[in-house]
Amino acid sequence: MRVISSPHEVQRQCLAWREQGRSIGFVPTMGALHAGHASLIERSARENAETIVSVFVNPLQFGANEDLAAYPRTFEDDRRLCEERGATLLWTPTPAEMYPPGFQTQVSVPEVAAPLCGVSRPVHFGGVATVVLKLLLVAQANRAYFGLKDYQQCMVLSRMVADLCVPTELVLCPTVREPDGLAMSSRNRYLTAQERQLAAEFPRVLRECWHELHSGVTPAECLPRAANCLSVAGFRVDYLELRHGETLAPLSTFTHPAVLAAAVYLGKARLIDNLSSVADRLTRTA
Ligand code: AMP
């Protein structure tokens, strides 16, 4: 596995691979890699001749009072995991390489980015869309792999790729969970041992609410109950909402495609999770 920092050098390598007819899979990450990331890398390695993993903690997608400086950086472990799971190129650009002096281009996907996490993180998805478009242009990948754990991110990027005719297929992959159901996240390491134990309540309450919706309980009845359950357990609920599975427009009745998405604060961590028609379909066909 080669390790390259320069975007231009990565792009040269990728253009050469495409000319040789070698398919490229791409897994963009912010590092501090865990089994969730590993599942994307392994899938890419199965489906493509070359697999690029990028590790870049993107300053553009962090708000002023968010955890950019504290975000975990574990390069040696990340390098080992990428190599073991079949990556052939690890791309580790610096902020100065990604955003050289004079950089000013911004990508915005305003409607999909506005609700849910967009309310408390107003600059987040603009930063994500901008960096991912640049990463995709450099990587020249046939396929790029994203986790449904970041559901709104998947929908923002799907909209962007469709709108701009980006010639990379987005492959949306199921959320990998800890044995107790907590979605794996680099930010789980912010939790104390006690908070970590409580954290499993979050996916449990979401699952219960999703089952109730399937069995005909109205959103007006079961959403406030689930939010209250989380508050009583000790979480601070940012949002818990039922939305259209692609546009993320509000849904007052349960129709498909749908997503039940939530964000909660627990100690220093902000946790997100969701259940969706898209994920259910992946489970059924697995
Ligand atoms: P991040 O490093 O958090 O930006 O995540 C990089 C990619 O890994 C994104 O596409 C995430 O959605 C995906 N990812 C993160 N956690 C998980 C997980 N638990 N299961 C599946 N994919 C994940």
Side-chain angles (χ1 to χ4, degrees):
M1 183 183 73
R2 291 179 68 195
V3 181
I4 303 179
S5 167
S6 155
H8 292 291
E9 201 180 330
V10 171
Q11 196 177 46
R12 267 197 303 279
Q13 172 65 82
C14 296
L15 287 167
W17 277 334
R18 290 300 293 262
E19 254 177 44
Q20 296 156 14
R22 298 186 68 72
S23 61
I24 301 174
F26 181 31
V27 183
T29 81
M30 298 208 300
L33 302 181
H34 49 66
H37 300 108
S39 72
L40 306 185
I41 299 168
E42 283 175 351
R43 176 148 179 206
S44 172
R46 277 198 306 274
E47 296 179 352
N48 302 280
E50 306 288 348
T51 287
I52 308 173
V53 179
S54 63
V55 171
F56 179 58
V57 183
N58 174 34
L60 273 195
Q61 70 190 66
F62 286 78
N65 47 11
E66 293 183 352
D67 59 342
L68 173 61
Y71 198 84
R73 286 153 169 94
T74 59
F75 177 72
E76 255 321 302
D77 290 346
D78 292 351
R79 196 192 55 71
R80 201 170 320 114
L81 183 145
C82 288
E83 187 144 40
E84 284 171 4
R85 305 306 172 113
T88 51
L89 198 170
L90 174 56
W91 176 22
T92 56
T94 62
E97 284 170 321
M98 288 299 281
Y99 304 120
F103 186 97
Q104 56 189 278
T105 303
Q106 294 277 346
V107 180
S108 134
V109 189
E111 286 178 29
V112 190
L116 307 176
C117 285
V119 175
S120 56
R121 307 189 72 191
V123 302
H124 178 65
F125 291 113
V128 169
T130 301
V131 80
V132 170
L133 183 59
K134 179 159 184 169
L135 295 170
L136 293 177
L137 288 169
V138 170
Q140 301 285 317
N142 301 76
R143 302 178 191 85
Y145 296 80
F146 292 90
L148 281 167
K149 155 150 190 298
D150 298 283
Y151 192 91
Q152 189 171 11
Q153 169 169 287
C154 288
M155 294 308 132
V156 166
L157 297 176
S158 298
R159 188 72 256 167
M160 175 187 82
V161 161
D163 286 353
L164 301 181
C165 294
V166 178
T168 300
E169 180 197 348
L170 299 195
V171 183
L172 308 185
C173 305
T175 301
V176 176
R177 297 177 179 279
E178 301 283 359
D180 66 1
L182 180 66
M184 289 194 177
S185 164
S186 309
R187 290 188 165 101
N188 290 350
R189 63 185 79 199
Y190 297 153
L191 299 168
T192 63
Q194 201 182 1
E195 288 162 353
R196 172 62 193 83
Q197 250 191 325
L198 174 59
E201 263 310 274
F202 180 35
R204 196 195 61 71
V205 169
L206 277 186
R207 251 188 342 262
E208 193 171 280
C209 187
W210 189 238
H211 284 143
E212 285 180 344
L213 288 166
H214 277 90
S215 57
V217 183
T218 63
E221 197 179 326
C222 64
L223 267 60
R225 190 159 62 216
N228 186 53
C229 217
L230 289 169
S231 305
V232 170
F235 298 91
R236 187 158 67 80
V237 179
D238 181 7
Y239 65 80
L240 190 158
E241 294 185 38
L242 184 70
R243 295 254 166 183
H244 184 277
E246 283 160 19
T247 64
L248 304 186
L251 275 190
S252 50
T253 54
F254 183 46
T255 51
H256 293 286
V259 58
L260 174 68
V264 296
Y265 294 94
L266 183 58
K268 277 197 277 198
R270 182 175 183 279
L271 308 176
I272 58 171
D273 204 344
N274 66 83
L275 293 161
S276 67
S277 316
V278 182
D280 286 354
R281 206 163 46 238
L282 291 181
T283 319
R284 275 199 303 276
T285 54

